[in-house]
Amino acid sequence: MIVERIEYVVNTTTRFVVNLWVRQWPLLLLTLWAVQNVRLSLEFTDTTDVVTNTAIAITSFAGTVACLKIFRFERSFWMYAQVFIGVGVTFFFTNVELTQLTSALQQDAFDDIWVYRIVEAALWTGVVALLSAGLYFLRFRRRACPSILIKIPLTTFVMCLFLQPISMFIWFDLMMLAYGIMGKSL
């Protein structure tokens, strides 16, 4: 009797966890990254930096989850792929350029890293908006709703802002792997 109850509890719990993972795996992975992102934001020493970095990390996570769920992109491979590609091909700024950009925008309360992430996300969102508008007007005008011209760039912006650190880490890992395979050193 007790063995049957334990077996029942284990089976139902396992079934629940597997079903949750199968249905919500993108959001679970995003939640894990959000916890890591907030933890990294809290490691800054200045109180202003901690507050602004944590607020941007939480806001970008909430925006990413909201856009993915509302627009039903949470399982769209192409959304994740284009954000990953966008981080790899966008412009990289030097520290001098970031300092000048921060002072020009009068955003001295932000950390330079966040200014970089916001500008990079905005640049890639512009590229994606132009590409999706071109594809829409040239090919998909009769098949897709025009609201897709707002959904894709908005989702791209918040996802780029949120996933930029992990994408940069993966790009760096791939670059180091490629250099190791080719026998070159940095």
Side-chain angles (χ1 to χ4, degrees):
M1 188 71 156
I2 293 177
V3 173
E4 292 171 353
R5 287 183 184 173
I6 293 173
E7 185 177 308
Y8 173 74
V9 169
V10 168
N11 287 339
T12 56
T13 306
T14 305
R15 196 173 310 120
F16 172 76
V17 170
V18 168
N19 286 336
L20 180 70
W21 177 255
V22 167
R23 291 181 187 161
Q24 302 296 330
W25 67 266
L27 298 178
L28 292 173
L29 289 176
L30 289 174
T31 305
L32 288 174
W33 179 245
V35 170
Q36 179 69 11
N37 205 358
V38 169
R39 188 189 66 79
L40 291 174
S41 296
L42 292 174
E43 289 184 4
F44 289 104
T45 57
D46 191 19
T47 307
T48 307
D49 286 345
V50 168
V51 172
T52 56
N53 290 335
T54 306
I56 291 174
I58 291 172
T59 305
S60 64
F61 170 68
T64 299
V65 170
C67 285
L68 289 176
K69 285 302 255 183
I70 290 171
F71 302 143
R72 296 186 182 130
F73 288 143
E74 67 262 8
R75 290 191 182 178
S76 174
F77 169 76
W78 296 111
M79 285 303 294
Y80 296 101
Q82 61 97 8
V83 167
F84 179 69
I85 290 169
V87 171
V89 298
T90 51
F91 308 99
F92 296 101
F93 300 105
T94 63
N95 287 338
V96 174
E97 292 169 340
L98 280 175
T99 307
Q100 291 173 351
L101 183 63
T102 304
S103 63
L105 294 174
Q106 297 176 353
Q107 299 297 325
D108 295 327
F110 284 127
D111 190 20
D112 286 344
I113 295 169
W114 281 101
V115 172
Y116 167 75
R117 286 172 67 175
I118 291 170
V119 170
E120 186 180 73
L123 288 172
W124 183 244
T125 300
V127 169
V128 167
L130 289 174
L131 290 174
S132 60
L135 284 174
Y136 175 76
F137 288 119
L138 293 175
R139 179 80 173 127
F140 298 108
R141 189 177 321 158
R142 291 188 177 92
R143 293 184 198 166
C145 180
S147 65
I148 200 79
L149 296 174
I150 296 170
K151 292 177 182 179
I152 291 174
L154 180 64
T155 306
T156 299
F157 178 74
V158 293
M159 282 183 71
C160 278
L161 190 62
F162 180 64
L163 294 176
Q164 194 262 352
I166 187 106
S167 298
M168 286 297 291
F169 176 72
I170 293 170
W171 271 111
F172 181 72
D173 235 13
L174 290 173
M175 185 179 72
M176 295 302 290
L177 182 65
Y179 273 102
I181 289 172
M182 292 187 295
K184 296 181 181 179
S185 63
L186 292 175

